[in-house]
Amino acid sequence: MIRDFGLIDVGYLMLAARWTLLLAAIAFVGGSIAGLLLTLLRVQPFAPLRWVASAWILIVQGTPLLAWLFVFYFGLALIGFPISTWLAVIAAYSLYASAYLAEIWRGALQSIPRQQWEAGSALALGFLEQLQHVIIPQAIRIAIPPTVGFLVQLIKNTSLAAVIGFVELTREGQLTNASTFKPFTVFIVVAAIYFAICFPLTQLSRNLEGRLHVARRVS
Amino acid sequence: MSLVACRDVVKRFGTNTVLDGVSLEVAAGEIVAIIGRSGSGKSTLLRCVNGLEAIQDGSIRVGDTTINAPGADLRAVRQRVGIVFQSYNLFPHLTVEKNITLAPRVVKKISDRDARQIASDVLAKVGLSEKVNAYPDSLSGGQQQRVAIARSLAMNPDLMLFDEITSALDPELVGEVLKVLEALASQGMTMMLVTHEMGFARRCADRVVFMHQGKIWEQGSAATFFDNPKTPELTSFLSAVLH
Ligand SMILES: Nc1ncnc2c1ncn2[C@@H]1O[C@H](COP(=O)(O)OP(=O)(O)OP(=O)(O)O)[C@@H](O)[C@H]1O
Ligand SMILES: [Mg+2]
């Protein structure tokens, strides 16, 4: 039975966007924690741990996110560990985010000249002290724009979770379309909501970048 | 007992032997200038003395620590041995004061107040008291290099290593940095310095060491060294640099 697309549907879509945001937020936090660990593993001096971290990143970046959603949702259930949709999407998206964030952050760390580490060593700072006081403060400024850029990707990619029945913005759009059959209107509204979420983030990243740069310059 | 003792030091990078049996002692209060062609191993020698590079054979002692011994406390050594590089390597995200106080606070756990007092003392020594709150990129090369010296001095080292610290500077800025070195010399600081400033080496150093192909080829007191080179290699090096 086909009904009209009304303001109420816009409301429902906006409510569904909560789950998009919540999933992106949890995955970003989970991915950041794991990503930070991976980043540290990749710059620390003990080679075997560096290899483990590199392997993790290579594998995750070389496989589709969709495959991980299936692994966590259907795969685990098959071998006798069924987990909820929520848990499966959180696991898959955190895993996905960890690899990309680790790669972004390692790039930022490695863009700091070797001489900065050396100046730290020469002053008797230990490895972690060099990282904390010399390298990370400089790397953050470099890392912010691509990190926010990735967060925007992450938010848009949460739409994939619809395939295992996770209801977020895109899935809600599909459902609305099924009962109103106004695909153009529905998905324009869906796109507009994604844009309304992502655009301010992009602007924020530009502002932060500018501000951190200015803070360094003022003397 | 000498402050620094290098014995038959061998340093290789892969198959490239960069230090080939270097033995050198430096007494407390002594100023040793190291000269030689590009690639002769001068920088590598300094970097080995504070443990930035590991050595493959021989031994290096600083004070009573053999720094190449397994488990040697390199952190303790580096607190007593300062090194200043050609490229300053100041921390660009920190003010001059924070550049200087970082290691005293973090490594020596000196209180913020005392560390700032130290910063103001060492900045006075290099004549840059007014730049305490400046960021490095607002300073000239000569000023940045003086801050780098002050940053090392803030750890109150027994030995200072200087690696061509005036080579990246415009000629008119070299003098202000050399003046700081001369002042340090007159206060009795022990120094090993790699330099291309032959006039400065002659004037300030107690001893001059000529390195060639990873070896100490010739050395002597600054007074006689430049006038009576004994080896043809030094003769040709000196005639090249003194035009
Ligand atoms: N990290 C490194 N890895 C590999 N080779 C190196 C490294 N550092 C130095 N070398 C090599 O060691 C040799 C000596 O270098 P070093 O920097 O000690 O020379 P130098 O006498 O200081 O020369 P310059 O006057 O150009 O500074 C050179 O052949 C150089 O290529
Ligand atoms: Mg050199």
Side-chain angles (χ1 to χ4, degrees), chain A residues 114-116 118-126 129 133-134 137-138 215-219, chain B residues 47 52 75 78-79 83 85 89-93 102-103 106-107 134-135 137-138 151 155:
Chain A
R114 193 177 45 80
Q115 285 84 352
Q116 289 286 309
E118 203 162 84
S121 304
L123 289 166
L125 298 177
E129 291 163 349
H133 298 286
V134 178
Q138 297 183 59
R216 228 192 83 185
R217 286 269 165 178
V218 168
S219 54
Chain B
R47 295 164 57 82
L52 283 176
R75 256 169 88 92
R78 288 178 186 147
Q79 291 181 49
I83 185 165
F85 306 96
N89 302 348
L90 294 178
F91 304 131
H93 61 298
L102 178 65
V106 171
V107 178
Y135 278 84
D137 61 8
S138 69
R151 183 174 70 174
M155 294 297 272

